[in-house]
Amino acid sequence: MEIKTQPLVSIGVPVYNGEKTIERALDSLIAQNYSNLEIIISDNASTDATEEICKRYVQKDSRVSYNRAKKNFGGMWNFNKVFETSTGDYFMWAAADDERELSFVSACIERLMQYPEAVVCQ
C-alpha cells in the first residue's frame, strides 16, 4: 500500500513485568509494513527481565526507545508517559501482550487520511 505522505505514527507500549509477552508484541510492531513509526516503551519499574529484553530491541531497531521508571507509579501514569513522550502525527497504544497484523498501522493510516474528520481508528 502506498501513502503519498507518510505521517509519523507513535506507538506507546506501557509495560510492567512483561517478559513473557513483550518480545512477540515488539516483533509485530517492528514488522509493520508501514515504516515511519516510533515505538516508545515505558517500563514501570519491572522486576523481571523486561528491562533486558527492551534494551535489546533498542539496539535492534532505531525506531524503538525505552524509558524505565525508578519506581512503580501505577498503570495510568505509565499510559500517560508514553503519550506525553510521543512526537508523531498519530498515536496508538499497544499493550505488552498485543500482537498486530503486519498491515495494521498502514490500514489505520489509510483510513485516517481518507477521513480526516475521524478522531479514532481501530
Side-chain angles (χ1 to χ4, degrees), residues 2-121:
E2 186 178 327
I3 297 173
K4 291 191 192 286
T5 59
Q6 292 231 334
L8 178 63
V9 175
S10 297
I11 303 174
V13 184
V15 62
Y16 175 72
N17 287 350
E19 72 179 0
K20 293 180 182 176
T21 59
I22 190 80
E23 289 179 273
R24 287 191 314 272
L26 292 174
D27 285 341
S28 78
L29 296 174
I30 288 170
Q32 290 296 304
N33 68 0
Y34 188 89
S35 61
N36 194 22
L37 50 84
E38 64 178 355
I39 301 166
I40 306 159
I41 306 167
S42 179
D43 182 354
N44 204 4
S46 292
T47 58
D48 63 2
T50 298
E51 180 178 14
E52 293 77 22
I53 294 166
C54 292
K55 285 181 176 180
R56 282 198 316 263
Y57 278 84
V58 168
Q59 295 299 314
K60 183 179 184 177
D61 193 308
S62 63
R63 300 172 299 169
V64 179
S65 65
Y66 174 72
N67 302 298
R68 178 178 167 77
K70 293 183 182 193
K71 69 174 194 169
N72 190 315
F73 291 101
M76 186 61 68
W77 176 89
N78 210 19
F79 273 82
N80 287 335
K81 183 70 174 171
V82 292
F83 181 74
E84 292 166 0
T85 307
S86 69
T87 62
D89 302 300
Y90 295 99
F91 179 85
M92 74 177 245
W93 276 289
D97 60 353
D98 283 352
E99 292 182 56
R100 306 288 174 137
E101 292 290 327
L102 299 181
S103 62
F104 182 83
V105 173
S106 63
C108 288
I109 288 295
E110 180 180 25
R111 290 297 185 180
L112 287 167
M113 293 182 81
Q114 185 178 3
Y115 300 99
E117 69 280 4
V119 294
V120 174
C121 184

